[in-house]
Amino acid sequence: MNLTDPNEIKALMAANGVRFSKSLGQNFLVASWVPEKIADAAELSENDGVLEIGPGVGVLTRELSERAAEVLSIELDESLAPILRVTLMDRPNCHVVYGDALKQNLSELCREYFGAERAWKLCANLPYNVTTPLITAFLESKAFETITVMIQKEVAERICARAGTGEYGAFTLLVNWYATAEKLFDVSPDCFLPQPKVTSSVIRLRRRSESAAQVDDEAWFFKVVRAAFNQRRKALPNALSAGLGLDKGSIAEALGALGLNADIRGERLTLEQFAALSNLLRKA
Ligand code: SAM
C-alpha cells in the first residue's frame, strides 16, 4: 500500500464510504518526502513517546512509528477508523484515540500510553482551522519536549516574527514564552490531496528549560500583552489604559523607567521589555 498515492487514498476512502471533510481540515499528504522530512525533524529517539493529532489515513503515523517507541494519535473523524485499522495493522506501537484533541487532557493521555519514564514529543500535520488553539494547548500543558508541526505559512511567520514587524503579536509572545521557535521548511499546496489554498510550513518548538524572562505574575503578564495587541495601532498608554483600566500617566511613567517613549506601540516591545513593563505596572 502506498499511502501517498492519490489514487490509493481515493480508493481506500471510497471503499469505506469516507469523504474528505473541509471543516475538519482534511488535506492529506501525497508527496512521500514530506511525512519523512517532518518525522526526521521531530528528532525522535527509540525511547520516545510521540503524540500525533489527526492521523488521517496514517501516512505520518507510520513514519513516526519507525522512529519512536510508542505513537498515540488522536483523530476526530471516527469514519477513518476502518481505514486506520488496515493502514496501521502492522504497527503494534501505534494507538489511535477517537475524539476532539481540544477536549482531551493531553498529559493524562501521554501518561497512560507512554508512562512517565519516556520523553514525550508531539509531531503532526495539524488541521488548519484549529492550529492556534491546538498549539496553545500543547504549550500550556508543558508536556512536550519538542513540538514539530506543519501549519499555515502565515501562522508560522507570526510565531517566528521579530518585534517591530507586522506579523509580531500576542501569539508570538505566547509561543515564545513557553518555547524557542524555528521555521524549518515550506511545503507547497501540490503536496496535498485536496490542495489547500495556502502554502504550509513546518516549525519546531522546543520547551524552554528556563523562563524566557523574569515575570512576577504570569497571568498579569499575558493580560498586559493581550491589552497591548487588542488595540495594536494605539500607543501603549492608550491601549493599556483601555484594556487594563490603568491610569495613562502611570503607564507613561513605567515606559519612561524602561527608557521607552510614551508614544511607543506594543508591537515594538520585545518579550523581555513586556516582562519588565508588566512587573512595573503590577506595582502601579
Ligand atoms: N496526518 C494526515 C496527513 O498528514 O496526511 C492528515 C492531516 S489533516 C491536515 C488533519 C487531520 O486532523 C484530519 O485527519 C482531521 O480529521 C483531523 N482533525 C481535525 N480536527 C481535529 C481535532 N479537533 N482533533 C483531532 N483531530 C482532528
Side-chain angles (χ1 to χ4, degrees), residues 24-29 52 54-56 59 74-76 99-101 125 127:
L24 291 182
Q26 290 182 346
N27 301 99
F28 295 162
L29 281 167
E52 181 194 24
V59 66
I74 305 177
E75 174 56 63
L76 180 53
D100 184 344
N125 170 14

Side-chain angles (χ1 to χ4, degrees), residues 12-42:
L12 259 177
M13 295 192 54
N16 290 280
V18 185
R19 288 161 172 263
F20 289 101
S21 160
K22 203 174 171 187
S23 66
L24 291 182
Q26 290 182 346
N27 301 99
F28 295 162
L29 281 167
V30 290
S32 60
W33 68 269
V34 185
E36 283 169 23
K37 199 164 168 182
I38 297 175
D40 283 343

Side-chain angles (χ1 to χ4, degrees), residues 38-242:
I38 297 175
D40 283 343
E43 295 178 341
L44 299 170
S45 85
E46 55 194 17
N47 285 318
D48 293 340
V50 59
L51 179 69
E52 181 194 24
I53 307 301
V57 296
V59 66
L60 177 60
T61 323
R62 290 179 65 85
E63 293 294 333
L64 298 174
S65 79
E66 284 166 13
R67 294 165 175 79
E70 300 288 341
V71 184
L72 172 64
S73 305
I74 305 177
E75 174 56 63
L76 180 53
D77 185 355
E78 214 167 339
S79 70
L80 292 167
I83 298 179
L84 285 166
R85 264 198 295 278
V86 174
T87 59
L88 301 179
M89 195 163 50
D90 60 339
R91 301 298 161 111
N93 64 341
C94 291
H95 317 274
V96 185
V97 164
Y98 291 92
D100 184 344
L102 284 168
K103 295 187 181 150
Q104 310 292 320
N105 183 326
L106 301 178
S107 304
E108 249 173 42
L109 276 176
C110 289
R111 206 165 298 118
E112 183 185 339
Y113 282 85
F114 305 150
E117 63 285 355
R118 296 197 189 289
W120 304 346
K121 295 179 178 166
L122 189 141
C123 184
N125 170 14
L126 291 180
Y128 289 177
N129 41 348
V130 282
T131 304
T132 339
L134 279 174
I135 291 179
T136 305
F138 302 156
L139 291 168
E140 286 179 349
S141 77
K142 298 186 180 162
F144 306 102
E145 225 167 70
T146 57
I147 297 170
T148 309
V149 282
M150 181 148 66
I151 57 179
Q152 307 93 306
K153 185 175 182 187
E154 170 255 324
V155 181
E157 283 171 351
R158 278 204 275 136
I159 288 174
C160 299
R162 293 198 172 278
T165 63
E167 291 78 28
Y168 185 71
F171 192 53
T172 319
L173 287 157
L174 179 127
V175 173
N176 284 274
W177 172 253
Y178 291 103
T180 54
E182 288 168 272
K183 184 167 166 293
L184 302 178
F185 57 94
D186 289 343
V187 178
S188 62
D190 61 9
C191 294
F192 299 85
L193 178 77
Q195 293 191 16
K197 289 200 175 69
V198 294
T199 297
S200 305
S201 300
V202 175
I203 58 161
R204 184 169 53 220
L205 309 177
R206 274 182 216 285
R207 185 173 60 199
R208 289 188 185 274
S209 48
E210 283 173 26
S211 281
Q214 196 272 317
V215 159
D216 298 338
D217 177 342
E218 202 175 310
W220 172 250
F221 164 74
F222 282 116
K223 268 192 193 162
V224 172
V225 168
R226 275 194 300 272
F229 288 100
N230 273 345
Q231 301 194 317
R232 66 180 292 147
R233 300 272 149 240
K234 287 199 174 159
L236 275 175
N238 289 328
L240 297 183
S241 74

